[in-house]
Amino acid sequence: MSDQQTAGQRPDEAQDDRQDGAAAAVGKFLEFTDGAVASYFESCVHCGECAEACHFYLSTGDPRYTPTYKLLPMVKAYRRARAPLRTVRDMFGLLPDDPTLDELREWGPLVYDSCTMCGRCTLVCPMGIDIAGTIARMREGYVAAGLAPEGLVHATEMVRRTTSPMGVTAKALRAQVEHQEKETGIPISLDEKGAEYMAILSSMEIMGYPEVIGAYARLFKAADISWTISTKAYEATNIGVQIGSGALAREIVQRVVDAAEELGVRHVISPECGHAYGALRWAGPNLIGRRYDFEVVHIIELIDRLRREGRLPIGNRDARRITLHDPCQIVRRGGLLKEPRRLLDAAASDFVEMDNAGIANLCCGGGGGVSANPRAAELQSRAFSCKLDQLNAIEGLQAVVVPCANCRSVFEDALDEREIDNFEIIGLGELVASTLDQDKAAQG
Amino acid sequence: MSFLQIVEGPLFWVAAAVFVLGALWRVGGLIAMKRRRDIAPPTGSAAAGFIRGNLRHFLPRAAFARRTWIHLVGGYGFHLGLFVLLLFAAPHVAFLDKRILGFSWPALPRWAFILVAEIAFAGLIILWVRRISEPVMRLISDADDHVGSWLTFLVMLSGCFALQQSHDALRATHMFLVDIWLLYFPFSRLMHAFTFVLSRGHTGATYGRRGITP
C-alpha cells in the first residue's frame, strides 16, 4: 500500500483521491493567477539572481531554495491552462503536464518551509517579480489539496477553537492585563464602547511579552488617548494568511472588524507583528469585500505620529548601542520604513544601522508561518545565521530592537540555542515607553 | 526568386507579421487577465508605483550588486550592445530606410560596430556560460532559455559575417536566421523584452499603494 493510500481504501480510490487533490490545487493555482501573476510567470528569464537574496539559499547553498524555482508547479499549471498562445505550443507538444499530487507534496518544503514570504527576492529581480506574493497564492492550492504542513494545520485548528493559534483565551488575556495594570499602576479598559482606539495583540505578545501591554498603557496615558482591548477580538495573528486559506483569513479579519465596529472605535492598532499588519491593513478590506469604518494604524506609525505631535515627550534616551531589525511585512512589504528610524533616533543615543538596513534587510527566517512549522525548524535555524552575521558585524552591540513579536521569538530562540547573551532583544514600543519623560507626560 | 529574395521578402514579412501579432496577442492576453482589485485605502499612488517599479529595477541595489555583478556586466553588455547594433549598424539603417520607414539616421562607423559587437557577444557568452555552469541557473534553466540564447547568438554571428554585404549567401543566411528568430520570439521567453514592463509595473503598483518600491 502506498503512503498516500489510507487504510481500507482500494488502490483505485487512492488514485482518485490523488487526482482530486492535485486537481483542487491546480484549480486554486489558476483561480489566483491574475494578470499580475501571469506577467511574473511570463517575464522570468531564469537568471537565478533571486537566490542571492534568499536567506535559505544563502545559508545552505542549495539551489532548490532559489525563490523562482519554488513556483514551478504553479507555473506549469498556468502554462498548461492559461498562458496566451498555449494552443500553438500545444501543437508542437510543448505544454507541460499538470503537477501531480506527488510532485506537489515534494514541493511542499519549498512552498512552506523555505519561504518566509519576506519579499527580499523582489528587490534583486530584474523583472521585479513579487515571488513572495505569488507563494502566498500558491499556498491556497496547497490548502485545497490538503498538503499544508501539520504544524500550521494544528495552529488553524487552535484558532477555530479559541481564536488564537497558541490557544490564548479571553480569561488568559484578562489575567495578563490585570498583571500589567498592577505593574504600571495604570488602569486598562476592556471592551470599552466609545474608546478612540482598539488594540489587538499577537498571542506571542500576550503570553510571551505581556510588558507590551504595559508599554501601551504608559504611552497612551502620556498621549492622553482613550483605548481599549476587545475580549471578543484581541488576537492579531492571522494564521489564514500564513497557511494560505483565504476563507480563514477572512473570518479572522471579520472578527476584528465586527468588534471594532461594535465598540465604535475610530482606529484599530495593529501590533508589533509583521504579517498581522499586512493581513489587517492591506489584505483585510479585500478579504471582506469592503473598506472598514475605522482606520488601521500600526503601533509604530501611531507612536511616531504622537511623538511628532509632541504628545510623547522623550526624556533620557537609551544610551546603549542599539540596532534595528526591519520586520519584512512591516517595512519592505508594509511601507513603514522611516517611522521606526525616527523613533529610534529620538529614543536611543547610539542607534546604529546594520548592514543592508531598511528595505533590503534580511528576514529572521521564521516569518510566513515557518516558525509555526516544526518540520522547518532546522532550516529556520540555519537561515537565522544570516541575521546573526549582520548583528555580529556591529561592534559593541548591546540591544536589538525587533518590532515584531514573531521575529522577536525567533531571535530569542536562535540566540538561546547558540548560547549568545551579549545583547538584549526588545520591542520598539517598550523602548519608547521606557524613555518617556514622565514629568512632562504627567503635565500633558 | 532567389533564396535571398525569399528571406528578405515574403518570409521576412510573414515572420515580421507573426512577431508583431504574436507579441501583441501575448501581451494583450496578459493585460486582459486584469489584476485583482485592491480596495485597501492607499497611502501612495499605484500609477506612480508602476512607473517607479519599472525604473527602479534598471539599476541594482547596492546590497546585491556585489553578488550579482556578473549578470550586471553580462546583461547590460549584451542588451545595450544588441540594441545599438539593431538600430545603428549600417546595413540595418539602410534596410529600415529602404524597406520599412523611408528615412534614415547616422550609422555606426565600422570600428564602432566591431567594438559594440564584441561587447554584445561577450555579454551573451557570459550569460550563457553562467547558465550552463552555475548550479542555480543550471537547475532552473529549460530548453527555451538555451534555444533563445543560441538563436540570438547565431543571428548576431551571421550578421557580423554579412556586414560587408559582399556575399549574398552570407546576407541570406543572416536574414534567414532573423526570420526564424522573429517567428520564435512571441512563443518564447524572449518575450521578456516586452513583459518586463508589466511584471515590474504590477509589483510597483501593488507596493506603490503602500508607499514603497521594492
Side-chain angles (χ1 to χ4, degrees):
Chain A
M1 191 167 76
S2 81
D3 61 342
Q4 317 310 332
Q5 190 181 336
T6 52
Q9 244 184 343
R10 293 198 316 271
D12 57 333
E13 287 175 336
Q15 177 66 22
D16 287 348
D17 284 353
R18 277 202 291 276
Q19 283 172 354
D20 289 349
V26 168
K28 283 288 178 187
F29 290 166
L30 297 177
E31 181 187 333
F32 281 87
T33 300
D34 64 354
V37 171
S39 75
Y40 299 152
F41 293 162
E42 295 281 354
S43 64
C44 177
V45 288
H46 295 169
C47 68
E49 291 196 12
C50 47
E52 302 298 338
C54 177
H55 43 317
F56 291 104
Y57 171 75
L58 294 175
S59 61
T60 64
D62 186 343
R64 280 171 51 83
Y65 296 138
T66 302
T68 192
Y69 186 66
K70 298 169 189 173
L71 301 173
L72 193 56
M74 192 169 175
V75 173
K76 285 169 72 177
Y78 162 76
R79 284 202 190 132
R80 186 169 180 79
R82 293 285 298 280
L85 298 178
R86 64 188 175 281
T87 44
V88 177
R89 294 179 71 87
D90 194 22
M91 285 160 56
F92 293 93
L94 293 174
L95 284 190
D97 292 331
D98 265 334
T100 63
L101 197 66
D102 288 341
E103 189 181 351
L104 292 170
R105 187 174 283 114
E106 185 194 333
W107 237 258
L110 302 186
V111 177
Y112 282 99
D113 306 14
S114 66
C115 182
T116 51
M117 301 192 287
C118 77
R120 194 167 187 256
C121 44
T122 299
L123 301 185
V124 74
C125 175
M127 303 295 154
I129 298 172
D130 182 8
I131 296 176
T134 310
I135 286 284
R137 297 178 186 214
M138 196 173 171
R139 288 185 180 184
E140 295 277 347
Y142 271 72
V143 169
L147 294 177
E150 203 177 316
L152 284 168
V153 172
H154 173 74
T156 62
E157 287 161 2
M158 193 68 89
V159 167
R160 290 209 159 92
R161 284 207 301 273
T162 65
T163 79
S164 154
M166 288 170 64
V168 179
T169 60
K171 187 178 170 189
L173 170 74
R174 280 197 183 90
Q176 296 292 61
V177 166
E178 279 171 23
H179 183 70
Q180 288 303 310
E181 283 179 320
K182 281 182 196 151
E183 284 276 314
T184 61
I186 302 169
I188 299 169
S189 75
L190 295 175
D191 300 317
E192 182 189 327
K193 283 201 173 184
E196 195 178 352
Y197 291 84
M198 180 180 102
I200 54 174
L201 301 155
S202 70
S203 292
M204 187 61 76
E205 285 177 307
I206 298 169
M207 300 315 292
Y209 314 113
E211 60 274 19
V212 168
I213 303 170
Y216 277 28
R218 292 205 298 275
L219 290 166
F220 297 154
K221 180 171 185 284
D224 191 27
I225 62 175
S226 63
W227 70 292
T228 191
I229 302 173
S230 165
T231 55
K232 289 182 186 167
Y234 46 89
E235 178 58 70
T237 311
N238 194 319
I239 195 75
V241 166
Q242 292 178 325
I243 197 170
S245 166
L248 180 59
R250 179 165 48 247
E251 197 180 305
I252 295 168
V253 168
Q254 190 66 57
R255 188 181 299 135
V256 174
V257 172
D258 290 345
E261 292 181 350
E262 187 185 324
L263 294 175
V265 298
R266 285 164 52 201
H267 315 270
V268 169
I269 305 166
S270 184
E272 290 187 27
C273 172
H275 83 275
Y277 178 61
L280 188 65
R281 172 69 178 87
W282 298 113
N286 299 303
L287 287 167
I288 68 166
R290 69 172 174 89
R291 288 190 176 181
Y292 313 139
D293 292 338
F294 52 84
E295 177 204 29
V296 175
V297 58
H298 193 273
I299 182 66
I300 294 175
E301 205 178 4
L302 177 60
I303 299 172
D304 178 56
R305 192 185 293 173
L306 294 171
R307 193 195 65 79
R308 286 192 292 146
E309 287 170 359
R311 296 167 71 180
L312 289 176
I314 302 289
N316 291 326
R317 298 202 292 173
D318 193 313
R320 289 177 295 177
R321 172 155 281 205
I322 293 178
T323 193
L324 169 70
H325 165 70
D326 292 279
C328 313
Q329 308 302 327
I330 294 173
V331 178
R332 181 161 46 241
R333 288 162 63 78
L336 301 180
L337 180 65
K338 293 174 186 162
E339 290 83 349
R341 293 179 160 75
R342 280 199 294 256
L343 286 174
L344 270 161
D345 283 336
S349 57
D350 192 11
F351 165 47
V352 288
E353 294 276 21
M354 62 178 77
D355 287 344
N356 301 326
I359 196 168
N361 212 334
L362 278 152
C363 170
C364 67
V370 171
S371 64
N373 174 9
R375 189 177 71 185
E378 192 187 332
L379 197 53
Q380 178 195 321
S381 178
R382 289 185 74 166
F384 185 80
S385 61
C386 298
K387 178 54 65 181
L388 191 57
D389 288 345
Q390 287 181 297
L391 302 180
N392 285 336
I394 302 173
E395 206 175 318
L397 183 66
Q398 292 171 291
V400 186
V401 167
V402 182
C404 166
N406 185 58
C407 300
R408 190 170 167 179
S409 157
V410 169
F411 268 69
E412 290 182 350
D413 289 349
L415 294 174
D416 277 352
E417 185 187 303
R418 291 164 170 81
E419 297 180 351
I420 297 171
D421 59 1
N422 50 331
F423 40 77
E424 192 189 351
I425 308 299
I426 49 176
L428 186 49
E430 294 148 74
L431 177 74
V432 177
S434 70
T435 57
L436 277 177
D437 185 329
Q438 298 296 345
D439 295 336
K440 283 189 188 167
Q443 291 163 13
Chain B
M1 187 179 266
S2 69
F3 183 64
L4 177 60
Q5 285 172 321
I6 292 170
V7 294
E8 282 195 342
L11 186 59
F12 172 77
W13 289 111
V14 168
V18 169
F19 171 81
V20 172
L21 293 175
L24 281 174
W25 184 269
R26 200 153 158 197
V27 171
L30 294 177
I31 293 169
M33 280 189 215
K34 296 184 179 165
R35 51 187 274 123
R36 288 181 162 238
R37 197 162 151 253
D38 188 350
I39 59 171
T43 54
S45 158
F50 187 98
I51 294 164
R52 270 203 307 273
N54 263 286
L55 297 178
R56 186 66 194 77
H57 285 269
F58 276 119
L59 290 173
R61 284 186 160 84
F64 305 109
R66 193 175 56 81
R67 299 193 67 89
T68 59
W69 68 271
I70 296 177
H71 263 123
L72 286 172
V73 172
Y76 270 107
F78 162 63
H79 283 95
L80 291 177
L82 183 66
F83 290 133
V84 171
L85 293 175
L86 183 66
L87 296 174
F88 295 100
H92 292 169
V93 173
F95 183 85
L96 290 169
D97 179 15
K98 289 176 190 160
R99 298 297 185 89
I100 301 174
L101 300 173
F103 61 89
S104 68
W105 50 86
L108 285 176
R110 185 180 163 78
W111 66 266
F113 175 93
I114 290 169
L115 178 67
V116 173
E118 282 179 359
I119 291 170
F121 273 115
L124 182 56
I125 291 167
I126 286 169
L127 295 179
W128 187 73
V129 168
R130 191 166 164 78
R131 192 172 287 292
I132 59 167
S133 60
E134 201 269 331
V136 165
M137 288 191 78
R138 281 171 64 103
L139 178 71
I140 62 179
S141 296
D142 59 19
D144 187 12
D145 296 311
H146 295 289
V147 172
S149 299
W150 273 97
L151 259 183
T152 307
F153 177 80
L154 291 173
V155 165
M156 286 166 52
L157 188 67
S158 62
C160 288
F161 289 155
L163 182 63
Q164 297 293 1
Q165 306 193 60
S166 54
H167 298 283
D168 280 358
L170 292 177
R171 184 180 168 98
T173 303
H174 177 57
M175 282 308 297
F176 177 66
L177 286 165
V178 168
D179 295 345
I180 299 291
W181 188 83
L182 288 171
L183 288 167
Y184 183 71
F185 193 106
F187 307 102
S188 72
R189 200 161 286 119
L190 295 173
M191 275 294 291
H192 74 274
F194 302 117
T195 55
F196 83 91
V197 178
L198 296 176
S199 64
R200 287 183 188 178
H202 279 300
T203 300
T206 299
Y207 293 94
R209 296 182 89 258
R210 305 181 188 186
I212 199 153
T213 308

